[in-house]
Amino acid sequence: MDMRSNAFEITSMPDPGSRYCKVGRTHCFYFNKDGIPLITVGPHWPIMCITGFLILLITGIFLGYICPKVGKIDLIVGCLIFSITLYFFFAAALVNPGIVIMSTQMKSRGDFNSSMEKICTECNVIREDFTEHCKKCRVCVEEYDDHYSLLGKCVGKNTVKYFYGLLVCALCMLVFIVTTLFFRFKDKL
Ligand SMILES: [Zn+2]
Ligand SMILES: [Zn+2]
């Protein structure tokens, strides 16, 4: 039986150039001419918003109140660390991690042999090597790393570099916060 023939009826298909389509439990925005979404927001987007808000709040408190009282260099280093952290966070949270879109996959591959291919029974796409299905997002993701609720979605092929960049930045941010607080309040210790 050809699993693809009835797959169209059960999954909504984004049109190339369309602005929004829900794929699985993931909200996809701005499809390019190949029908691949540029921006995706995962099912845990409220947690992602809270994480983003907390990073912005800490950034605001440090750059607005604490760093200027410590010194110019501390403020410059702070601006650098916080802006790179925010860049990696929003890139990891918003860029499409590599969601496999059925219509795009069919178009690019042309013919397929369903008996030879590994097909995801959940979203009816061909599951290539390193592609895994995320049960929380209900989509297949290329080079799937894991699902991170703090980002609201999965990390995959396109976002893994931002995610590891974010981890390094988070560590730098922690060291910076501790150092800044030490210099700010060392006279009171
Ligand atoms: Zn799947
Ligand atoms: Zn996921």
Side-chain angles (χ1 to χ4, degrees):
M1 183 188 136
D2 185 351
M3 290 180 74
R4 290 300 182 100
S5 58
N6 60 5
F8 271 114
E9 293 159 25
I10 55 169
T11 312
S12 59
M13 286 292 103
D15 295 321
S18 68
R19 293 238 176 119
Y20 173 78
C21 183
K22 198 172 177 190
V23 180
R25 288 182 69 206
T26 302
H27 305 277
C28 300
F29 300 88
Y30 301 107
F31 290 79
N32 68 10
K33 60 176 170 34
D34 299 320
I36 294 167
L38 303 177
I39 291 171
T40 68
V41 177
H44 299 120
W45 61 268
I47 303 175
M48 180 266 280
C49 290
I50 293 168
T51 315
F53 174 75
L54 287 176
I55 298 175
L56 282 170
L57 188 71
I58 294 169
T59 304
I61 290 171
F62 271 82
L63 298 186
Y65 299 101
I66 301 173
C67 296
K69 285 176 184 160
V70 175
K72 223 174 196 172
I73 293 172
D74 194 69
L75 184 64
I76 293 167
V77 174
C79 283
L80 204 69
I81 292 175
F82 285 117
S83 46
I84 299 171
T85 305
L86 284 167
Y87 166 75
F88 281 132
F89 173 75
F90 284 110
L94 298 175
V95 170
N96 172 14
I99 292 172
V100 184
I101 306 284
M102 192 209 300
S103 59
T104 307
Q105 196 179 45
M106 287 182 80
K107 213 183 284 172
S108 65
R109 295 180 62 120
D111 218 4
F112 63 91
N113 186 345
S114 59
S115 61
M116 297 290 287
E117 308 268 15
K118 274 187 274 173
I119 291 181
C120 174
T121 52
E122 305 274 341
C123 48
N124 295 306
V125 296
I126 297 165
R127 206 186 283 177
E128 290 176 7
D129 293 343
F130 310 113
T131 296
E132 275 184 50
H133 183 83
C134 174
K135 282 195 165 71
K136 288 171 185 158
C137 298
R138 292 194 198 144
V139 288
C140 273
V141 177
E142 289 178 86
E143 293 175 32
Y144 177 84
D145 185 70
D146 211 337
H147 181 96
Y148 297 96
S149 294
L150 288 179
L151 294 172
K153 65 179 186 187
C154 307
V155 167
K157 183 183 163 188
N158 302 334
T159 52
V160 74
K161 54 183 181 286
Y162 303 127
F163 178 69
Y164 287 109
L166 180 63
L167 289 186
V168 172
C169 281
L171 195 68
C172 293
M173 206 165 100
L174 195 70
V175 173
F176 175 79
I177 286 172
V178 172
T179 315
T180 302
L181 287 176
F182 172 76
F183 282 111
R184 175 70 184 88
F185 298 108
K186 68 175 180 203
D187 298 338
K188 291 176 186 169
L189 290 176

